[in-house]
Amino acid sequence: MQPLQPMRVDWVATPPPGAYPQAPPRSQRPSYGGPPNYPVPPRWGFPLLAWRWPTAVPGTVEQADSVDGVRRLARTVQNSLWLLAVVAVWGAGSEIWRYVLVALSRFGALSAGVVSTSDALVVSSSAIMITGCFLSLLLGLLWLRRARNVAASLVGYGPSRSDTDVLVGLVVPGMNLVVPGSVLAELEHAVARRPVDERPHPSKLLRWWWGLWVASGLTVVLVVAWSFRSSTQALADGVLLHAFADLLLAAVAVTSALVVRQITTLLLPVDAASVRLMRVVEVKDAPEPPLRAVRASGSPR
């Protein structure tokens, strides 16, 4: 009798019935009923608040003399100056058209409708121009005061002139041709973070604005003096002089808007309107975050 040979047995482990949930047949699967519907707002997750700056939280008051306040006011000043420039060009065009009509009247009578339309354009543009000048001047003085205060707090030294001295220098004839340029030169020197003992050197844009400001002031004096002449040729030349004064006013308004933007940009080197996405670049003096404990490979989650 031969000895029995050992049998080779392969063990196969199979899960007991019911160990895994069985997928229901396709015909019994529930259909999609839309997004979840909650009877009340869920209390989990982040609060239902959009991103907003800290100054937008109710109950907090932002200081007027702040960089953000100067930036918003500068935007309003620039808009008023650009509008004033457009109205000044409109007034210059109306004066030039009036001069053309005066030249054509030498060869015959003009239509009453054309003359009345020309007068209406001149009068309306002059009224809007005067209102725009006062509004732009008021907003510009407010912006200048706030910008000077913010610059003094940032650089650590105050301006050489007080607010009262600046206001007097802008009102007194003659001084209002010199004081504004020096005040803006000192402000530009401060916002550029230059030393206090260094002499201010105006930028090229500021020098252009200063020259146009002086030329415009002298032209206004000339227009007022020319208005006392009553001859026909003097009246015709006065129309061209008014057109030249309006064009100078438009140039002053444009350069003023550019100066306001330049100084405001120096106060706030990064334009908030150009930053579309915010990201954390570096974190300083922050405590180390708590680390998660090491979990063994076989421990339950």
Side-chain angles (χ1 to χ4, degrees):
M1 184 175 182
Q2 296 181 357
L4 298 176
Q5 298 293 332
M7 299 180 59
R8 299 181 59 183
V9 180
D10 295 334
W11 294 91
V12 179
T14 57
Y20 297 103
Q22 300 293 330
R26 182 171 299 179
S27 59
Q28 298 179 2
R29 291 180 183 178
S31 59
Y32 177 72
N37 186 13
Y38 299 97
V40 294
R43 299 181 179 274
W44 50 265
F46 294 101
L48 300 177
L49 295 176
W51 169 260
R52 53 188 179 182
W53 295 99
T55 55
V57 179
T60 60
V61 179
E62 180 186 0
Q63 297 181 358
D65 296 340
S66 61
V67 177
D68 292 334
V70 173
R71 177 173 55 84
R72 285 192 292 268
L73 183 58
R75 190 178 306 169
T76 305
V77 174
Q78 292 178 56
N79 293 336
S80 64
L81 289 172
W82 286 113
L83 181 60
L84 177 61
V86 173
V87 176
V89 173
W90 169 27
S94 302
E95 295 289 350
I96 293 174
W97 188 23
R98 168 176 283 188
Y99 184 81
V100 172
L101 294 180
V102 171
L104 293 177
S105 63
R106 299 172 56 188
F107 304 100
L110 299 176
S111 173
V114 174
V115 175
S116 60
T117 302
S118 176
D119 294 340
L121 289 176
V122 172
V123 173
S124 58
S125 61
S126 300
I128 299 175
M129 198 184 311
I130 294 174
T131 305
C133 286
F134 280 107
L135 179 61
S136 300
L137 182 61
L138 180 61
L139 293 175
L141 289 177
L142 182 59
W143 170 85
L144 180 62
R145 178 183 177 277
R146 292 186 179 181
R148 281 159 49 92
N149 295 337
V150 172
S153 62
L154 290 178
V155 301
Y157 59 86
S160 60
R161 294 180 176 86
S162 63
D163 295 338
T164 305
D165 295 337
V166 173
L167 184 60
V168 171
L170 292 175
V171 172
V172 177
M175 294 181 60
N176 54 7
L177 300 179
V178 181
V179 173
S182 59
V183 170
L184 288 178
E186 293 176 357
L187 178 59
E188 185 184 49
H189 180 86
V191 298
R193 276 72 171 178
R194 295 171 184 168
V196 62
D197 54 350
E198 182 181 345
R199 183 179 179 86
H201 295 282
S203 61
K204 184 177 180 180
L205 175 61
L206 187 55
R207 291 196 300 268
W208 271 103
W209 175 87
W210 202 345
L212 291 173
W213 174 268
V214 174
S216 179
L218 295 177
T219 306
V220 170
V221 175
L222 181 60
V223 168
V224 174
W226 198 274
S227 62
F228 291 99
R229 304 182 63 179
S230 58
S231 63
T232 305
Q233 186 61 40
L235 294 177
D237 295 339
V239 174
L240 288 180
L241 192 58
H242 276 86
F244 181 70
D246 293 341
L247 291 178
L248 272 180
L249 178 61
V252 171
V254 171
T255 52
S256 300
L258 296 178
V259 168
V260 170
R261 185 181 65 178
Q262 175 176 295
I263 294 179
T264 307
T265 304
L266 291 175
L267 277 175
L268 184 67
V270 179
D271 188 6
S274 63
V275 179
R276 309 188 71 177
L277 297 177
M278 297 183 180
R279 60 189 182 94
V280 178
V281 178
E282 185 180 1
V283 178
K284 295 182 179 179
D285 301 331
E288 294 292 335
L291 300 178
R292 186 175 61 180
V294 179
R295 182 180 60 86
S297 59
S299 63
R301 293 183 180 272

